[in-house]
Amino acid sequence: MMEEEELEFVEELEAVLQLTPEVQLAIEQVFPSQDPLDRADFNAVEYINTLFPTEQSLANIDEVVNKIRLKIRRLDDNIRTVVRGQTNVGQDGRQALEEAQKAIQQLFGKIKDIKDKAEKSEQMVKEITRDIKQLDHAKRHLTTSITTLNHLHMLAGGVDSLEAMTRRRQYGEVANLLQGVMNVLEHFHKYMGIPQIRQLSERVKAAQTELGQQILADFEEAFPSQGTKRPGGPSNVLRDACLVANILDPRIKQEIIKKFIKQHLSEYLVLFQENQDVAWLDKIDRRYAWIKRQLVDYEEKYGRMFPREWCMAERIAVEFCHVTRAELAKIMRTRAKEIEVKLLLFAIQRTTNFEGFLAKRFSGCTLTDGTLKKLESPPPSTNPFLEDEPTPEMEELATEKGDLDQPKKPKAPDNPFHGIVSKCFEPHLYVYIESQDKNLGELIDRFVADFKAQGPPKPNTDEGGAVLPSCADLFVYYKKCMVQCSQLSTGEPMIALTTIFQKYLREYAWKILSGNLPKTTTSSGGLTISSLLKEKEGSEVAKFTLEELCLICNILSTAEYCLATTQQLEEKLKEKVDVSLIERINLTGEMDTFSTYVPWIQRLILSPFQMQWQNVEHVGDQSPYVTSVILHIKQNVPIIRDNLASTRKYFTQFCVKFANSFIPKFITHLFKCKPISMVGAEQLLLDTHSLKMVLLDLPSIGSQVVRKAPASYTKIVVKGMTRAEMILKVVMAPHEPLVVFVDNYIKLLTDCNTETFQKILDMKGLKRSEQSSMLELLRQRLPAPPSGAESSGSLSLMAPTPEQESSRIRKLEKLIKKRL
């Protein structure tokens, strides 16, 4: 019974002490222990088995029981101590809470007392400062009254003095006094309702009006509009009058400037009237020489009379430019038929020189009045078509008709005076455009004549194929024309010049590039685009000499150069022309012309390599056709490579296109070798491997510097020639048993299809009755094409050799390795 009660007690205790996993984890973190008795998943049986693993270990059972009992007594003592220590915890906590509540009540009482005292202190401060604020307001009002009375006294005295000084023309004193009076008067704007203040303000305005009229009268007397001779030097009175005019209404200043400039330029209008001989374009230098002398005269006589900020010298020059532009425009409209190219360019040269002189002398600050907007500096160009534009002084015009030295205007990028006079020449630039049309026509004719006289270029094996010299000359002339025209005008003349450029780019392509392609043995004229496009299968292939191949390569390089430079020319034209006209600059048609020439000429280079494989009816022991192909490649490919050294990408394209043209034709003619014997297939396989090695070495064949062929080209050769080898291996394999032969075909040719299989069976010389059963077996054993697979033309370059391959094929491979 005692044992049963103990078991029930243990079960109840375990039920009470069943803790949650979270609590158990927290206990383990606070009191870490390695004792198995402290584990939540304690198993008594396992623990006992651990203590007594064998029967012999039961000998010390009494010792183990005593240790456990001792541990139980210690645990009981610890539990008892903890329970006793927690007896008075509740009572102590309640006492501490009551003490905290009492302290909080005392704190609230003290806070309330402090708040009441603060409110009393604030009320006391307000009562103390009320009188101080009243005193402050009284002081401020008194100070304002005294200041206003002082200003009023100053204003009244200043107005009286101003009226007296005005009558005595004491402009030096008036300038200082008037500014002070106006500053004082600003303080009385809010008092204008007071009659006395309003009366003083009206007297100031009257004095200003009287000053303005008096100063204008003084200037009219000193510089009469219609008088004889101007005074010898400036007057101190007028100098002080200018200082007063700075303070008066701006219209007074503008009227003074207008009258002075008009009087200063009156002589110019008389000397250079339309009916005078010096007014025509050939003596335009005299106009600019006259204004330069006048500017020097102004600085000597009147430079100190006008304030520096008036910029009178610049204003005189600007007004001179406006008058000159109007006069030149009028006289050129009257005598338009007398304008020649040289005369027009001479006038533009001198005018742009003068505008450059103004840009160096003056800042252009007076042009912001609306007369002419300052030009913004263009963004730095990354276009390689033009180098930095030179700005040397313009040279004299050449006398030769076909080679005019165009004016090189020293135009700074931020020249504010650009076009201030030369704008008048823009309506007459059609004369210049027509001249450039004529000069370019003569230039193209000279290129054609020079090419015929000098003949094709010599073979070049050192520097690689170069562009024709005429191409560089053409674009240099284009550059000169474009730069000059953009300096003359960025409007419609630039569009007209662009049209001329387009015309002669097309003529250059037709007369120089297409017209100088070498003649073939089948046509009496030169090769043309239409003749290349009409090439038919089986037609005689053109054979070219060394010089002709060099010429074709040079023309290819020239076409590529023209394509790139024309694109840069279009970009530069768009930079030069007005923003509103950019869309009208379009050289796409001309670029398409040159881009079309590149593949056509590449096709022409490839034509000698298009061998007539259909003439090969059988394969001999020596394979003479292979020797012929290799010899032909070694003779011609180095020439093409050396002459395309400067444009190597086209030589790479040539190699790729040659491989893409040669390999399919080679495979096509392999299929035409039917029926073929086993020995014949072996010889063809050997020849195929030889051609494969030559093709892999094609980019560097005959070169002292051995370069690795491009990966794209190597892939094409390996892929195509491996397919040819696999076809021949299938032909060499025995066709019985049928299943093995069909499986061999499927493994060797991953692009296997019934059409290729049919051709292989024809090469083996099998009858149609035999072929039908084999074709049906192939259709059954062909794997289903995977989803998303590429076209049936794709093939694996690493097709493994099947185990069924005969010993004859292995011997052939050893022979090939030995030969290599």
Side-chain angles (χ1 to χ4, degrees):
M1 292 296 293
M2 290 294 294
E3 294 179 356
E4 292 178 358
E5 291 178 358
E6 289 180 357
L7 290 175
E8 291 178 358
F9 176 76
V10 169
E11 292 177 357
E12 292 176 357
L13 185 62
E14 288 180 352
V16 172
L17 295 180
Q18 190 68 28
L19 302 177
T20 62
E22 293 79 3
V23 175
Q24 188 65 37
L25 180 62
I27 293 175
E28 290 178 357
Q29 292 177 351
V30 176
F31 303 105
S33 174
Q34 300 296 329
D35 193 343
L37 296 174
D38 294 334
R39 295 178 60 85
D41 55 350
F42 175 75
N43 190 321
V45 176
E46 292 181 359
Y47 182 68
I48 293 172
N49 290 334
T50 303
L51 294 177
F52 307 104
T54 60
E55 292 182 1
Q56 291 77 9
S57 60
L58 293 175
N60 57 350
I61 187 171
D62 295 333
E63 182 180 353
V64 174
V65 170
N66 292 331
K67 290 181 179 180
I68 292 176
R69 288 176 178 174
L70 178 61
K71 190 171 185 178
I72 291 172
R73 285 198 298 270
R74 289 177 180 176
L75 288 174
D76 290 340
D77 294 340
N78 291 338
I79 293 171
R80 189 180 301 108
T81 302
V82 172
V83 170
R84 290 176 179 175
Q86 297 295 323
T87 304
N88 299 326
V89 170
Q91 183 178 357
D92 295 341
R94 286 192 296 273
Q95 183 178 357
L97 180 62
E98 291 175 357
E99 292 177 356
Q101 289 176 348
K102 291 180 181 179
I104 291 172
Q105 292 176 357
Q106 293 176 1
L107 180 62
F108 276 131
K110 292 180 181 180
I111 292 173
K112 186 176 180 181
D113 292 342
I114 293 172
K115 184 177 180 181
D116 294 339
K117 292 179 180 180
E119 291 177 354
K120 293 179 181 179
S121 300
E122 182 180 1
Q123 185 65 27
M124 187 181 301
V125 170
K126 287 182 180 180
E127 293 176 358
I128 294 173
T129 58
R130 183 181 298 113
D131 297 335
I132 297 176
K133 288 182 179 179
Q134 292 178 354
L135 293 175
D136 287 341
H137 288 308
K139 178 181 179 182
R140 188 181 305 112
H141 294 160
L142 182 61
T143 303
T144 303
S145 301
I146 294 173
T147 303
T148 303
L149 289 176
N150 288 335
H151 287 165
L152 181 60
H153 176 71
M154 293 169 57
L155 180 61
V159 171
D160 294 338
S161 302
L162 180 63
E163 291 174 345
M165 293 177 182
T166 300
R167 289 190 295 269
R168 294 193 296 269
R169 283 182 167 78
Q170 296 176 346
Y171 296 130
E173 292 79 359
V174 168
N176 297 325
L177 180 60
L178 179 61
Q179 186 63 53
V181 169
M182 294 178 64
N183 292 337
V184 172
L185 187 61
E186 291 179 359
H187 295 283
F188 291 94
H189 281 323
K190 55 185 176 181
Y191 304 120
M192 286 299 172
I194 302 174
Q196 291 80 2
I197 302 298
R198 186 170 57 253
Q199 182 180 1
L200 288 175
S201 176
E202 292 175 354
R203 289 176 60 187
V204 172
K205 292 180 180 179
Q208 289 178 324
T209 303
E210 183 180 357
L211 275 172
Q213 296 175 353
Q214 187 171 295
I215 291 172
L216 289 177
D218 292 343
F219 270 93
E220 181 65 27
E221 181 181 354
F223 305 102
S225 300
Q226 294 181 353
T228 55
K229 193 175 181 180
R230 295 195 297 267
S235 169
N236 291 333
V237 175
L238 295 181
R239 181 183 61 191
D240 295 337
C242 291
L243 299 178
V244 177
N246 263 339
I247 305 173
L248 298 175
D249 191 338
R251 290 177 293 181
I252 303 298
K253 170 186 171 182
Q254 295 297 332
E255 187 67 21
I256 294 173
I257 294 173
K258 180 180 178 181
K259 286 186 176 182
F260 180 81
I261 294 176
K262 181 179 180 181
Q263 196 277 339
H264 216 70
L265 296 179
S266 58
E267 180 183 352
Y268 172 71
L269 295 174
V270 174
L271 293 176
F272 294 92
Q273 289 182 3
E274 184 178 355
N275 56 358
Q276 298 294 324
D277 183 59
V278 294
W280 188 229
L281 300 180
D282 58 345
K283 296 182 178 58
I284 197 171
D285 276 342
R286 299 189 181 183
R287 294 177 180 266
Y288 305 131
W290 183 89
I291 188 61
K292 290 178 181 178
R293 291 194 301 269
Q294 295 301 313
L295 292 175
V296 173
D297 180 68
Y298 165 80
E299 292 294 343
E300 292 177 352
K301 295 182 178 180
Y302 308 103
R304 297 182 180 180
M305 186 175 75
F306 294 100
R308 184 178 296 274
E309 62 270 17
W310 284 23
C311 302
M312 284 299 296
E314 181 177 327
R315 293 180 185 274
I316 294 172
V318 170
E319 183 62 25
F320 165 83
C321 292
H322 294 326
V323 173
T324 302
R325 185 176 62 197
E327 292 295 322
L328 289 176
K330 181 170 63 174
I331 194 172
M332 284 191 292
R333 283 196 302 269
T334 304
R335 304 172 63 176
K337 295 182 179 180
E338 302 179 29
I339 300 177
E340 298 177 353
V341 177
K342 291 183 180 180
L343 181 62
L344 179 65
L345 295 179
F346 170 79
I348 294 175
Q349 168 206 345
R350 295 298 188 262
T351 302
T352 51
N353 276 346
F354 176 69
E355 291 174 351
F357 163 77
L358 294 180
K360 294 178 181 178
R361 179 79 180 274
F362 305 115
S363 64
C365 60
T366 62
L367 299 177
T368 57
D369 299 338
T371 57
L372 188 69
K373 293 183 179 180
K374 288 187 69 173
L375 300 179
E376 297 181 357
S377 300
S381 174
T382 58
N383 188 356
F385 178 71
L386 286 179
E387 301 172 354
D388 294 337
E389 296 179 6
T391 57
E393 291 296 322
M394 299 182 181
E395 303 294 339
E396 294 295 332
L397 294 174
T399 56
E400 296 183 8
K401 181 179 181 180
D403 189 18
L404 291 175
D405 277 337
Q406 309 298 350
K408 302 174 183 177
K409 182 171 68 171
K411 168 193 152 186
D414 56 348
N415 182 1
F417 297 94
H418 172 57
I420 191 171
V421 179
S422 58
K423 198 75 173 176
C424 66
F425 298 109
E426 186 169 329
H428 305 277
L429 286 179
Y430 67 89
V431 178
Y432 167 75
I433 300 299
E434 292 174 355
S435 172
Q436 296 305 324
D437 188 3
K438 182 179 179 181
N439 291 341
L440 282 170
E442 294 175 354
L443 189 62
I444 295 295
D445 293 339
R446 192 182 73 188
F447 290 160
V448 175
D450 291 346
F451 192 91
K452 291 180 179 179
Q454 299 174 3
K458 300 300 180 183
N460 188 349
T461 59
D462 297 328
E463 298 179 359
V467 299
L468 299 177
S470 58
C471 177
D473 294 342
L474 177 66
F475 282 102
V476 167
Y477 191 84
Y478 273 11
K479 169 184 174 180
K480 182 169 63 174
C481 294
M482 181 189 65
V483 172
Q484 181 198 2
C485 189
S486 65
Q487 293 171 345
L488 303 179
S489 172
T490 56
E492 288 296 332
M494 283 291 290
I495 302 299
L497 185 66
T498 302
T499 304
I500 299 299
F501 286 174
Q502 292 174 302
K503 172 183 175 182
Y504 288 102
L505 283 174
R506 293 190 295 267
E507 284 203 14
Y508 185 85
W510 176 253
K511 293 183 177 180
I512 305 299
L513 300 185
S514 179
N516 289 316
L517 287 174
K519 299 179 180 180
T520 63
T521 57
T522 58
S523 61
S524 58
L527 279 174
T528 61
I529 301 307
S530 59
S531 67
L532 286 175
L533 294 177
K534 292 179 181 178
E535 180 184 345
K536 298 180 180 179
E537 182 70 23
S539 61
E540 183 178 354
V541 181
K543 306 294 184 182
F544 300 117
T545 64
L546 176 61
E547 290 77 10
E548 289 174 337
L549 278 177
C550 294
L551 174 59
I552 294 173
C553 293
N554 286 345
I555 292 178
L556 174 61
S557 300
T558 302
E560 190 270 341
Y561 175 82
C562 290
L563 173 62
T565 313
T566 302
Q567 181 179 2
Q568 296 166 359
L569 173 64
E570 180 186 55
E571 295 173 358
K572 201 62 181 180
L573 285 170
K574 289 182 178 180
E575 290 181 11
K576 297 292 185 182
V577 79
D578 290 340
V579 178
S580 59
L581 302 176
I582 288 180
E583 295 182 356
R584 295 173 62 182
I585 303 292
N586 188 357
L587 302 182
T588 304
E590 289 66 34
M591 287 187 282
D592 290 342
T593 299
F594 290 117
S595 63
T596 306
Y597 269 87
V598 172
W600 285 339
I601 298 174
Q602 288 178 339
R603 183 179 177 184
L604 180 61
I605 297 176
L606 283 171
S607 60
F609 297 93
Q610 298 171 356
M611 305 297 294
Q612 305 302 310
W613 291 100
Q614 63 269 30
N615 296 332
V616 180
E617 298 178 355
H618 63 278
V619 179
D621 295 337
Q622 302 300 324
S623 300
Y625 74 95
V626 176
T627 305
S628 176
V629 169
I630 295 175
L631 179 62
H632 198 70
I633 288 175
K634 289 183 177 180
Q635 287 178 349
N636 293 278
V637 170
I639 298 174
I640 297 172
R641 180 183 59 242
D642 294 339
N643 283 276
L644 291 179
S646 61
T647 53
R648 189 166 182 82
K649 64 177 181 179
Y650 289 124
F651 177 68
T652 303
Q653 293 177 11
F654 158 76
C655 293
V656 171
K657 290 186 178 182
F658 175 72
N660 285 329
S661 174
F662 177 87
I663 296 175
K665 290 185 178 181
F666 178 72
I667 295 176
T668 299
H669 289 289
L670 280 181
F671 287 135
K672 292 182 180 180
C673 298
K674 57 184 179 179
I676 185 172
S677 64
M678 188 68 67
V679 177
E682 290 180 5
Q683 183 61 51
L684 272 177
L685 182 59
L686 181 63
D687 295 342
T688 301
H689 190 81
S690 300
L691 289 173
K692 176 181 177 182
M693 301 309 296
V694 171
L695 290 176
L696 288 175
D697 193 43
L698 181 69
S700 60
I701 193 168
S703 175
Q704 296 179 354
V705 180
V706 179
R707 293 184 179 179
K708 186 178 180 180
S712 58
Y713 170 76
T714 303
K715 182 178 179 181
I716 292 172
V717 173
V718 172
K719 180 179 179 181
M721 296 305 289
T722 301
R723 183 172 184 269
E725 292 175 342
M726 295 301 105
I727 290 173
L728 291 172
K729 288 183 180 182
V730 175
V731 173
M732 294 167 57
H735 62 276
E736 291 181 354
L738 299 183
V739 175
V740 175
F741 179 75
V742 171
D743 290 343
N744 187 28
Y745 168 73
I746 294 174
K747 290 179 180 179
L748 290 176
L749 294 175
T750 55
D751 64 333
C752 51
N753 53 64
T754 56
E755 182 180 357
T756 304
F757 191 64
Q758 176 80 54
K759 293 179 180 179
I760 292 176
L761 296 179
D762 289 340
M763 293 176 68
K764 293 180 69 68
L766 299 178
K767 297 179 180 180
R768 292 294 178 181
S769 58
E770 296 176 325
Q771 294 182 12
S772 59
S773 60
M774 299 179 73
L775 287 172
E776 183 63 27
L777 180 61
L778 174 67
R779 295 188 184 96
Q780 295 176 2
R781 301 187 69 84
L782 277 177
S787 60
E790 297 180 355
S791 62
S792 59
S794 62
L795 55 89
S796 173
L797 300 180
M798 302 300 294
T801 304
E803 296 180 357
Q804 295 83 1
E805 187 174 10
S806 64
S807 61
R808 189 184 297 271
I809 296 178
R810 289 194 293 271
K811 291 179 181 179
L812 181 60
E813 290 177 347
K814 292 180 180 179
L815 178 62
I816 292 173
K817 293 179 180 179
K818 184 177 180 181
R819 179 176 177 181
L820 293 176

